[in-house]
Every structure is written in structure tokens, then in C-alpha cells.
Amino acid sequence: MSAPWWERDDLRHDAGRLIFAGRDVAALAEAADGPLYLYSAARVRANLARLHAALAETGRPHRLYYAMKANRHPPLLAMLAATDACGIDICSPRELERALACGFTADRISFTGTGVARRDLDALLAHGDLVINCDSIGMIRRIGERVPGRTIGIRVNPARGVGYGDSERLTYAGARTTKFGIYREQWAEALAAARAHDLRVTSLHFHVGCGYLDEQLADWEAALEAGLAFLADLPDVGVVNIGGGLGVPHRASDKPLDLAKWAALLRRHFAGCAVEIAVEPGDYLVKDAGMLLLGVTNVERKQDTLFVSVDGGFNLHPEPAFYDLPCEPVACVPRASDPASFERCTVAGNINEALDLWAEDVALPPLEEGDVIALLNAGGYGAAMSSDHCMRGAFRETLLD
């Protein structure tokens, strides 16, 4: 019998119980008595080390900024700050406050936000060492009015993008005009705004989509090439931030992103560029380092569908419903190991909305009330995007280290 596609050394069934980061998952769920997010510090560190190793092959110096919007759990942030292996990318003043509180100094923080209000800028500009990537011409002007002569970064839109499964909802730049960054058509005006206030552009930024895997690398390379074309007008740039978006497998048919191939593309396109490469991964570091544990509340057939109801809904992790980025359901203490005895079922949450389905028509071991299901790949954009819809937003988070 072949192993499940998601199985690895730190995530597997052992003696009939799901083990994650060396811990018995069902036992942790029982102690929590409600929805529980688990995160593996060791897996995050391993993902971080793997990305550093790939970037070392590019022939250019590099730096990493963890994208806090993926997961802002304070113990996780404090762990990352203590490693000194990455900085952090933020997109709001409150995220700045949390980053500082968790141990990141301003010189290890970059800000990449959109729709930035004047009060936001006032909070950000209080930290002179903070890297600020300007998303619009108006933002450049407002910074210049407040702090003329400051160094800034500019986020551009290369009009080429990618996303997991070629999803338009996960593409930040492409055929459809998006709100992100400055397009080539407005580029001259953006540079003029910077010159008018003696702002020195020292970093170039572009982020073109989320969750890309090998199948999207050709499109990602085209976006990379288009983004780097802006460098010709920026003689003072020392850092090019290529954004994040590196994906992880969500389905059995997905293959892990080939980091060697990805790094080779960077090496080719940055050859001859005397700049540092910056990357701001979120999902790649934390998504497969987390899971959401939910208790089974009911198992019942309705017409031709066997529904397995659980005590947490899509408000706890909106990505599967909003972006078709599934979380693989796994029985923590399976009652059978032979797939021939598995049942086709639909895992449904406890929110009064029709789209509150975790998985449809999936094969799982027989389940009963009181069992626990682990939803894998829940470490990124789960708790961080959660809401209290139907006043069912309560959950706990635990960093396993």
C-alpha cells in the first residue's frame, strides 16, 4: 500500500495515530476541547533553510522577509526573529507594532501595502530604518511631502502574473488590471514624483501571484523578466524584491516546487545585475507547517451524500472556500487503514452558509462522533484571515517546538 501523498518524516501515522512534529495530534486536540491550530517550528525552520540554500545558488547576495500576513501568531514571530535568518514584511501599522514587539528591529522590516492612509504613513515614517515599498504615485508624493530626501522602494506591476492552478483570484498582475503597484504607463510620472521631493529609490519590488508551482514557472519567469526591465531607470537600486508566492502542494496531483529550477532562473536573469535579491515568502514557510484540528460532531447520510460535520467552519480558514486552496482532511486516529474500506463523504463545517464545506466527495476511513480530523496545509492564511462569523470564531493556536 502506497503512503499518502502528504506523508513525511514529521507528519505520518504511527501505530494508528497521527503524529506531527513528534506529538500525538489527537491527544492535543482532546486537551484543547475545540478548534486548534498546530504549528511546527522545526518545519518552518527547515523550509527557511531550504529556501536559503536555493538562493545561495543564484550567485547573488540575498535576504528573506517573512510575509507576516500569512501567520501572525506571536510565538512563531518571536521564533523567527530569534533565528536572525530572516526579516519580516508587513502591510499595516498594527503589523509593524507586532513585529517590533516580537523582536524584529526596524532595519529588518519591510512594508509593502496598498491603500495607505496618511495616518499609516505617519506611523511608518517614525522608523527611519524601515524599508517602505511605495505602491502608488500618491504614496510617493505623500512620503516626499513628509520626509523629503528619504530612501524608498517602488513596487511595480509588470503586467504578467501567476497563481496556483493558474487561478485569476491568486494572480496579482496579468491581463486584468489590478490595484497593485505602478504600471509602465505611469512609470515616468512615478519617477518624476520621486525626483520632485529628492526621494532616492534604492529598492525595486514586484509580487505577481500566490501559490505557483513548476507548471507556472514559465509564466513566472516572464513576469520576472518584465519586472527587472524597470531597473534600467533606477541607478541607485541595491535590492530587488521579487515578492513571494512560492507554492506548496495542496492535492495529490501537485508536485513540490523545484527550487533548483527556480534558483537557476534567478541566476540567469540576475547575471550582471549588481543587486541583492530579496524574497518575501509567507506560505512557503508556514503553510505545510500547520494544521487545523476539528472534532467530528455528526455523521449522517442525506440523500446520496454522507456528511461528516465538524466543529469549525470556513470562517476559521477562508482560503479553501475563497481561493480553492484545499486543506487535506486526515483522520487523526483512523478506524481502518485499508483504502478499500474508506467511505466517500463530504466534510462540512458549522457555519450557516452553503459554501461551508471543507472537502467534497473525499475518501476517508469510517468516522464517528467524537473523532478528530486534521486539516493539513493550514499554517498560512488560516488563523490570520479568520473571522467571528456566526460568533463561531473561537480557536486556539499552539507552536510546537
Side-chain angles (χ1 to χ4, degrees), residues 188-224:
E189 185 181 353
L191 294 179
R195 286 194 300 269
H197 298 283
D198 195 30
L199 296 175
R200 185 163 164 256
V201 183
T202 57
S203 60
L204 175 70
H205 180 286
F206 48 91
H207 173 63
V208 296
C210 297
Y212 62 85
L213 296 171
D214 284 5
E215 292 179 356
Q216 288 80 43
L217 274 182
D219 288 335
W220 180 78
E221 181 182 13
L224 173 67

Short mmCIF file of all heavy atoms in Angstrom, two decimals, residues 188-224:
data_model
loop_
_atom_site.label_atom_id
_atom_site.label_comp_id
_atom_site.label_asym_id
_atom_site.label_seq_id
_atom_site.Cartn_x
_atom_site.Cartn_y
_atom_site.Cartn_z
N ALA A 188 6.94 56.96 -15.71
CA ALA A 188 7.61 58.26 -15.81
C ALA A 188 7.06 59.23 -14.77
O ALA A 188 7.81 60.00 -14.16
CB ALA A 188 7.46 58.82 -17.22
N GLU A 189 5.77 59.20 -14.56
CA GLU A 189 5.15 60.08 -13.57
C GLU A 189 5.61 59.72 -12.16
O GLU A 189 5.84 60.60 -11.32
CB GLU A 189 3.63 59.99 -13.67
CG GLU A 189 2.89 60.96 -12.77
CD GLU A 189 1.38 60.83 -12.88
OE1 GLU A 189 0.90 60.08 -13.75
OE2 GLU A 189 0.68 61.49 -12.08
N ALA A 190 5.75 58.43 -11.89
CA ALA A 190 6.21 57.98 -10.57
C ALA A 190 7.64 58.45 -10.31
O ALA A 190 7.96 58.96 -9.22
CB ALA A 190 6.13 56.46 -10.48
N LEU A 191 8.51 58.31 -11.29
CA LEU A 191 9.90 58.76 -11.13
C LEU A 191 9.97 60.26 -10.96
O LEU A 191 10.78 60.77 -10.18
CB LEU A 191 10.73 58.32 -12.33
CG LEU A 191 10.92 56.80 -12.50
CD1 LEU A 191 11.74 56.51 -13.76
CD2 LEU A 191 11.57 56.19 -11.28
N ALA A 192 9.12 61.00 -11.68
CA ALA A 192 9.10 62.46 -11.55
C ALA A 192 8.66 62.86 -10.15
O ALA A 192 9.19 63.82 -9.57
CB ALA A 192 8.17 63.06 -12.60
N ALA A 193 7.68 62.13 -9.58
CA ALA A 193 7.22 62.42 -8.21
C ALA A 193 8.34 62.20 -7.21
O ALA A 193 8.50 62.98 -6.26
CB ALA A 193 6.01 61.56 -7.88
N ALA A 194 9.13 61.16 -7.41
CA ALA A 194 10.26 60.91 -6.51
C ALA A 194 11.31 62.01 -6.64
O ALA A 194 11.83 62.51 -5.62
CB ALA A 194 10.87 59.54 -6.82
N ARG A 195 11.62 62.41 -7.86
CA ARG A 195 12.63 63.47 -8.07
C ARG A 195 12.18 64.79 -7.47
O ARG A 195 12.98 65.55 -6.94
CB ARG A 195 12.91 63.63 -9.56
CG ARG A 195 13.75 62.53 -10.19
CD ARG A 195 14.25 62.95 -11.56
NE ARG A 195 13.15 63.25 -12.46
CZ ARG A 195 12.58 62.35 -13.27
NH1 ARG A 195 13.01 61.10 -13.28
NH2 ARG A 195 11.59 62.71 -14.06
N ALA A 196 10.89 65.07 -7.55
CA ALA A 196 10.36 66.35 -7.07
C ALA A 196 10.61 66.53 -5.58
O ALA A 196 10.68 67.67 -5.10
CB ALA A 196 8.87 66.44 -7.38
N HIS A 197 10.74 65.43 -4.86
CA HIS A 197 10.96 65.51 -3.41
C HIS A 197 12.31 64.94 -3.00
O HIS A 197 12.54 64.65 -1.83
CB HIS A 197 9.84 64.77 -2.67
CG HIS A 197 8.47 65.37 -2.90
ND1 HIS A 197 8.04 66.51 -2.27
CD2 HIS A 197 7.46 64.98 -3.73
CE1 HIS A 197 6.81 66.80 -2.66
NE2 HIS A 197 6.44 65.89 -3.55
N ASP A 198 13.19 64.80 -3.98
CA ASP A 198 14.55 64.32 -3.73
C ASP A 198 14.55 62.95 -3.05
O ASP A 198 15.43 62.65 -2.24
CB ASP A 198 15.31 65.35 -2.87
CG ASP A 198 16.83 65.10 -2.88
OD1 ASP A 198 17.33 64.58 -3.89
OD2 ASP A 198 17.49 65.40 -1.86
N LEU A 199 13.55 62.12 -3.37
CA LEU A 199 13.50 60.78 -2.82
C LEU A 199 14.43 59.86 -3.62
O LEU A 199 14.45 59.90 -4.85
CB LEU A 199 12.07 60.23 -2.87
CG LEU A 199 11.03 60.97 -2.03
CD1 LEU A 199 9.64 60.39 -2.27
CD2 LEU A 199 11.38 60.92 -0.55
N ARG A 200 15.19 59.06 -2.92
CA ARG A 200 16.15 58.18 -3.57
C ARG A 200 15.58 56.76 -3.59
O ARG A 200 15.30 56.17 -2.53
CB ARG A 200 17.47 58.22 -2.81
CG ARG A 200 18.60 57.44 -3.47
CD ARG A 200 19.94 57.87 -2.91
NE ARG A 200 20.99 56.91 -3.23
CZ ARG A 200 21.51 56.04 -2.37
NH1 ARG A 200 21.08 56.04 -1.11
NH2 ARG A 200 22.45 55.20 -2.74
N VAL A 201 15.40 56.22 -4.77
CA VAL A 201 14.82 54.89 -4.94
C VAL A 201 15.94 53.86 -4.85
O VAL A 201 16.75 53.73 -5.76
CB VAL A 201 14.07 54.76 -6.28
CG1 VAL A 201 13.41 53.37 -6.38
CG2 VAL A 201 13.03 55.86 -6.42
N THR A 202 15.96 53.12 -3.75
CA THR A 202 17.06 52.17 -3.52
C THR A 202 16.62 50.71 -3.62
O THR A 202 17.45 49.82 -3.54
CB THR A 202 17.69 52.41 -2.14
OG1 THR A 202 16.67 52.31 -1.14
CG2 THR A 202 18.34 53.79 -2.09
N SER A 203 15.31 50.47 -3.77
CA SER A 203 14.85 49.09 -3.94
C SER A 203 13.68 49.05 -4.92
O SER A 203 12.87 49.98 -5.01
CB SER A 203 14.45 48.46 -2.60
OG SER A 203 13.41 49.18 -1.98
N LEU A 204 13.64 47.97 -5.66
CA LEU A 204 12.57 47.70 -6.63
C LEU A 204 11.82 46.47 -6.15
O LEU A 204 12.43 45.49 -5.72
CB LEU A 204 13.16 47.45 -8.02
CG LEU A 204 12.19 47.04 -9.13
CD1 LEU A 204 11.29 48.21 -9.50
CD2 LEU A 204 12.95 46.54 -10.35
N HIS A 205 10.49 46.52 -6.23
CA HIS A 205 9.66 45.43 -5.70
C HIS A 205 8.60 45.04 -6.72
O HIS A 205 8.01 45.90 -7.36
CB HIS A 205 8.99 45.88 -4.39
CG HIS A 205 8.11 44.83 -3.75
ND1 HIS A 205 6.88 44.48 -4.25
CD2 HIS A 205 8.29 44.07 -2.64
CE1 HIS A 205 6.35 43.54 -3.49
NE2 HIS A 205 7.18 43.29 -2.50
N PHE A 206 8.37 43.74 -6.86
CA PHE A 206 7.19 43.27 -7.60
C PHE A 206 6.79 41.91 -7.06
O PHE A 206 7.62 41.07 -6.74
CB PHE A 206 7.43 43.22 -9.11
CG PHE A 206 8.70 42.55 -9.55
CD1 PHE A 206 8.75 41.19 -9.84
CD2 PHE A 206 9.87 43.29 -9.71
CE1 PHE A 206 9.92 40.58 -10.25
CE2 PHE A 206 11.05 42.70 -10.12
CZ PHE A 206 11.07 41.32 -10.40
N HIS A 207 5.48 41.73 -6.92
CA HIS A 207 4.91 40.46 -6.44
C HIS A 207 3.78 40.13 -7.40
O HIS A 207 2.84 40.91 -7.56
CB HIS A 207 4.39 40.62 -5.02
CG HIS A 207 3.65 39.42 -4.51
ND1 HIS A 207 4.25 38.19 -4.36
CD2 HIS A 207 2.35 39.26 -4.12
CE1 HIS A 207 3.35 37.32 -3.89
NE2 HIS A 207 2.20 37.95 -3.74
N VAL A 208 3.86 38.95 -8.05
CA VAL A 208 2.98 38.73 -9.20
C VAL A 208 1.92 37.66 -8.97
O VAL A 208 1.08 37.44 -9.85
CB VAL A 208 3.81 38.38 -10.45
CG1 VAL A 208 4.69 39.56 -10.83
CG2 VAL A 208 4.64 37.12 -10.24
N GLY A 209 1.93 36.97 -7.83
CA GLY A 209 0.90 35.98 -7.60
C GLY A 209 1.25 35.03 -6.47
O GLY A 209 2.35 35.08 -5.91
N CYS A 210 0.29 34.14 -6.16
CA CYS A 210 0.43 33.27 -4.98
C CYS A 210 0.29 31.80 -5.35
O CYS A 210 -0.57 31.42 -6.13
CB CYS A 210 -0.66 33.61 -3.96
SG CYS A 210 -0.55 35.28 -3.32
N GLY A 211 1.14 30.98 -4.75
CA GLY A 211 0.99 29.54 -4.81
C GLY A 211 1.52 28.86 -6.06
O GLY A 211 1.17 27.71 -6.33
N TYR A 212 2.40 29.54 -6.80
CA TYR A 212 2.84 28.94 -8.06
C TYR A 212 3.74 27.74 -7.82
O TYR A 212 4.52 27.68 -6.87
CB TYR A 212 3.53 29.98 -8.95
CG TYR A 212 4.79 30.60 -8.42
CD1 TYR A 212 6.03 29.98 -8.59
CD2 TYR A 212 4.77 31.85 -7.79
CE1 TYR A 212 7.20 30.56 -8.12
CE2 TYR A 212 5.93 32.44 -7.33
CZ TYR A 212 7.14 31.79 -7.50
OH TYR A 212 8.31 32.36 -7.03
N LEU A 213 3.60 26.75 -8.71
CA LEU A 213 4.39 25.53 -8.69
C LEU A 213 5.11 25.40 -10.04
O LEU A 213 5.13 26.34 -10.83
CB LEU A 213 3.50 24.33 -8.41
CG LEU A 213 2.81 24.33 -7.03
CD1 LEU A 213 1.78 23.22 -6.92
CD2 LEU A 213 3.84 24.20 -5.90
N ASP A 214 5.70 24.26 -10.30
CA ASP A 214 6.50 24.09 -11.51
C ASP A 214 5.72 24.42 -12.78
O ASP A 214 6.28 24.97 -13.74
CB ASP A 214 7.03 22.66 -11.60
CG ASP A 214 8.20 22.42 -10.66
OD1 ASP A 214 8.53 23.33 -9.87
OD2 ASP A 214 8.79 21.33 -10.71
N GLU A 215 4.44 24.07 -12.82
CA GLU A 215 3.64 24.30 -14.02
C GLU A 215 3.53 25.78 -14.37
O GLU A 215 3.28 26.13 -15.53
CB GLU A 215 2.24 23.71 -13.85
CG GLU A 215 2.20 22.19 -13.80
CD GLU A 215 0.80 21.66 -13.61
OE1 GLU A 215 -0.13 22.48 -13.44
OE2 GLU A 215 0.61 20.43 -13.62
N GLN A 216 3.72 26.64 -13.37
CA GLN A 216 3.61 28.08 -13.62
C GLN A 216 4.97 28.76 -13.77
O GLN A 216 5.04 29.98 -13.91
CB GLN A 216 2.84 28.75 -12.47
CG GLN A 216 1.35 28.47 -12.44
CD GLN A 216 1.02 27.13 -11.83
OE1 GLN A 216 1.60 26.73 -10.82
NE2 GLN A 216 0.09 26.41 -12.44
N LEU A 217 6.07 28.00 -13.73
CA LEU A 217 7.39 28.64 -13.74
C LEU A 217 7.68 29.42 -15.02
O LEU A 217 8.37 30.44 -14.98
CB LEU A 217 8.49 27.60 -13.49
CG LEU A 217 8.80 27.30 -12.02
CD1 LEU A 217 9.93 26.30 -11.90
CD2 LEU A 217 9.14 28.57 -11.25
N ALA A 218 7.18 28.96 -16.15
CA ALA A 218 7.42 29.70 -17.40
C ALA A 218 6.76 31.07 -17.34
O ALA A 218 7.35 32.09 -17.73
CB ALA A 218 6.90 28.90 -18.59
N ASP A 219 5.53 31.11 -16.84
CA ASP A 219 4.85 32.40 -16.70
C ASP A 219 5.52 33.26 -15.64
O ASP A 219 5.62 34.49 -15.79
CB ASP A 219 3.38 32.18 -16.33
CG ASP A 219 2.57 31.63 -17.49
OD1 ASP A 219 2.97 31.86 -18.65
OD2 ASP A 219 1.55 30.97 -17.24
N TRP A 220 5.98 32.62 -14.56
CA TRP A 220 6.68 33.38 -13.53
C TRP A 220 7.98 33.97 -14.07
O TRP A 220 8.32 35.11 -13.76
CB TRP A 220 6.97 32.48 -12.33
CG TRP A 220 7.69 33.20 -11.23
CD1 TRP A 220 7.16 34.07 -10.31
CD2 TRP A 220 9.10 33.15 -10.96
NE1 TRP A 220 8.15 34.54 -9.49
CE2 TRP A 220 9.35 34.01 -9.86
CE3 TRP A 220 10.16 32.47 -11.54
CZ2 TRP A 220 10.62 34.19 -9.34
CZ3 TRP A 220 11.43 32.65 -11.01
CH2 TRP A 220 11.65 33.50 -9.92
N GLU A 221 8.68 33.22 -14.91
CA GLU A 221 9.91 33.74 -15.50
C GLU A 221 9.63 34.95 -16.38
O GLU A 221 10.37 35.94 -16.37
CB GLU A 221 10.62 32.66 -16.31
CG GLU A 221 11.93 33.14 -16.93
CD GLU A 221 12.61 32.09 -17.78
OE1 GLU A 221 11.97 31.07 -18.10
OE2 GLU A 221 13.78 32.30 -18.13
N ALA A 222 8.54 34.90 -17.14
CA ALA A 222 8.16 36.04 -17.98
C ALA A 222 7.86 37.27 -17.12
O ALA A 222 8.24 38.41 -17.48
CB ALA A 222 6.96 35.68 -18.84
N ALA A 223 7.21 37.07 -15.98
CA ALA A 223 6.93 38.18 -15.08
C ALA A 223 8.21 38.72 -14.46
O ALA A 223 8.37 39.94 -14.31
CB ALA A 223 5.97 37.72 -13.98
N LEU A 224 9.12 37.81 -14.11
CA LEU A 224 10.41 38.23 -13.56
C LEU A 224 11.17 39.10 -14.55
O LEU A 224 11.70 40.17 -14.20
CB LEU A 224 11.23 36.98 -13.21
CG LEU A 224 12.68 37.20 -12.76
CD1 LEU A 224 12.73 37.92 -11.43
CD2 LEU A 224 13.41 35.85 -12.68
#
